[in-house]
Amino acid sequence: MNADLFGQWVETNRAAWVPVVRWQEVTAETTQKAVAQGLAVAQDYVEFGTRNAQLLGEVKDPSRWALEQGKLASEFGQKMVSRTADYLKFALETQDAFGQIAETLAKTAAGTNNGGDSKTTL
């Protein structure tokens, strides 16, 4: 009898920690993606600044410089649009992952309150 009670206690504790561990995994993945995204944007800014400085040193005609500067700014703008789309995609993926965890917890809580099986799997 005591072994059954202990087994239930162990299973209940294990099930309670499954969503916590998954939450931490999603958080770590999100942090890693956010840092990589930030580094990529910083690299784009450095590249833009470097190319702009090179352009200032190479082009002597102001009208040609303005034209080249416009091209450079357009390329940079396109990169930023692409980075923003990438960020939005990963933000939505993260939102979905956290939503799935919350949904699983809600179902588990509903099952527990209704006398159902309270096992949690993610």
Side-chain angles (χ1 to χ4, degrees):
M1 178 93 165
N2 285 338
D4 290 339
L5 184 60
F6 180 74
Q8 289 174 350
W9 179 79
V10 168
E11 179 58 30
T12 300
N13 280 305
R14 187 205 60 78
W17 281 101
V18 168
V20 173
V21 170
R22 180 65 185 131
W23 188 278
Q24 290 173 343
E25 289 170 348
V26 171
T27 300
E29 292 167 6
T30 300
T31 302
Q32 183 180 16
K33 288 178 183 179
V35 167
Q37 186 73 16
L39 289 173
V41 170
Q43 184 177 2
D44 290 342
Y45 272 100
V46 169
E47 182 183 315
F48 176 73
T50 302
R51 289 182 61 198
N52 193 29
Q54 288 173 338
L55 186 63
L56 282 171
E58 293 172 359
V59 179
K60 305 298 181 205
D61 180 27
S63 61
R64 182 167 171 251
W65 178 83
L67 179 66
E68 295 296 323
Q69 179 68 19
K71 289 178 186 177
L72 186 62
S74 178
E75 289 174 18
F76 180 73
Q78 291 291 336
K79 282 185 180 182
M80 290 300 105
V81 167
S82 177
R83 297 286 185 206
T84 301
D86 291 344
Y87 183 81
L88 180 58
K89 180 182 173 190
F90 112 76
L92 291 172
E93 290 170 354
T94 301
Q95 181 182 14
D96 288 345
F98 283 130
Q100 289 173 0
I101 294 168
E103 184 178 323
T104 300
L105 287 171
K107 286 178 182 178
T108 301
T112 302
N113 291 336
N114 296 330
D117 188 9
S118 64
K119 291 183 179 176
T120 303
T121 56
L122 294 175

